[in-house]
Amino acid sequence: MRIFLLSLIAVVLTAPATWAQSAADYRQRGIQYRTQEQFPQAIESFQKAVELDQKNLAGRIGLGWTLHLANRRTEAIDMLQSAILYNPFNIETFNALGIAYLVNGDLTQAVAAHTWATMLDPNNEIPFYNLSLSYERLAMYDWAIESAKRAAELEPNNPHPWVALAIAYRGQGDRVSAQQIYLQAMNMDARYRDRAFLKFLAEAGFSAEQIATAQALLNEVDGKSAFSEDANEKMSRQASGSFKQV
């Protein structure tokens, strides 16, 4: 009887550690499934992780982000919002929530979430980039331009902020700057010379209208620069110089 009681006490005392480890295992399994784009299995794993360790932000954010990738946007937003209750100062929560809002078309909420993320960390490039896309869709072009500039400053080798900056300039009516900046993105990554490739900008948060604008800019830049390498080089220098002045 004594041996049984001692064994029972040992199980009780070690149960929390076992549950925590199990939650971590499920989260890791969820990440692996998500990497393989097996979203139903990933969601199930993250759900089990959250059930076992409900206060763990990594599990909630992982589940919310996976639901977002699986196009279960409402559920994703609900889960990410729930994470705020446990820590309203976690940057990853607001990065993910802002993107989910943006893709869902909830632009005001996207601006609010990403603005808070920039306040938590002014050197966090993700919210600045997504703020640019949000402001552009709200026709707040000055704000879109400034946000894109900051994103490009923080992550200069990523073409996405440059494309966002280009379409913001075009929305403002400054076609010359838009073309120069788009050329900068083209020079950084040759794939941006391919009209078909631009459809993948949807995965980077661009709306269908913004992708159409990027495609129009590509057509304009091609029409002006394809006939002359010297002209192409000149426009590239102008684009770089124009950006550095701001």
Side-chain angles (χ1 to χ4, degrees):
M1 183 67 179
R2 179 172 176 170
I3 295 175
F4 172 76
L5 289 175
L6 290 174
S7 299
L8 181 61
I9 292 171
V11 169
V12 171
L13 290 176
T14 60
T18 302
W19 292 337
Q21 182 60 46
S22 296
D25 288 343
Y26 278 119
R27 283 195 299 274
Q28 186 59 41
R29 192 177 305 170
I31 292 171
Q32 292 172 350
Y33 280 130
R34 187 174 64 197
T35 301
Q36 299 166 4
E37 297 188 355
Q38 299 182 43
F39 296 124
Q41 296 91 330
I43 290 169
E44 182 180 358
S45 295
F46 278 117
Q47 285 174 333
K48 290 180 179 178
V50 171
E51 290 172 4
L52 290 170
D53 190 3
Q54 296 198 13
K55 294 184 179 180
N56 187 278
L57 284 177
R60 289 184 176 273
I61 296 170
L63 176 55
W65 185 246
T66 307
L67 287 165
H68 164 73
L69 294 176
N71 296 317
R72 293 167 59 174
R73 213 80 61 201
T74 301
E75 296 171 83
I77 290 171
D78 288 344
M79 178 53 60
L80 292 168
Q81 285 177 335
S82 75
I84 298 174
L85 300 176
Y86 294 95
N87 185 351
F89 305 103
N90 183 272
I91 294 172
E92 292 183 2
T93 299
F94 290 95
N95 281 348
L97 182 58
I99 293 170
Y101 277 139
L102 171 63
V103 177
N104 203 45
D106 302 325
L107 301 179
T108 303
Q109 293 94 323
V111 168
H114 283 309
T115 298
W116 179 238
T118 65
M119 296 175 69
L120 293 174
D121 182 4
N123 295 319
N124 178 10
E125 75 282 352
I126 294 173
F128 284 106
Y129 162 66
N130 288 293
L131 277 171
S132 179
L133 296 178
S134 301
Y135 282 131
E136 195 278 336
R137 291 174 64 179
L138 290 166
M140 300 172 66
Y141 299 115
D142 289 342
W143 289 81
I145 289 169
E146 292 306 314
S147 297
K149 286 177 179 177
R150 179 59 176 156
E153 179 183 356
L154 291 170
E155 198 173 14
N157 296 322
N158 184 352
H160 290 160
W162 293 89
V163 178
L165 179 58
I167 65 173
Y169 271 125
R170 200 174 192 275
Q172 192 184 52
D174 187 348
R175 287 176 175 257
V176 173
S177 295
Q179 292 168 10
Q180 292 174 347
I181 296 299
Y182 188 83
L183 181 62
Q184 186 80 357
M186 287 172 52
N187 289 337
M188 293 173 64
D189 190 332
R191 292 176 298 177
Y192 288 85
R193 300 176 184 272
D194 182 357
R195 181 182 176 86
F197 173 77
L198 295 181
K199 294 179 181 179
F200 289 99
L201 286 173
E203 298 178 7
F206 284 73
S207 68
E209 293 78 10
Q210 289 171 331
I211 293 173
T213 300
Q215 291 173 331
L217 278 170
L218 173 58
N219 292 339
E220 293 170 7
V221 171
D222 274 349
K224 287 189 174 183
S225 63
F227 64 90
S228 170
E229 292 184 3
D230 291 338
N232 188 49
E233 182 179 354
K234 181 179 179 181
M235 286 184 68
S236 178
R237 289 198 303 269
Q238 290 174 338
S240 178
S242 173
F243 184 77
K244 290 178 181 177
Q245 292 172 7
V246 298

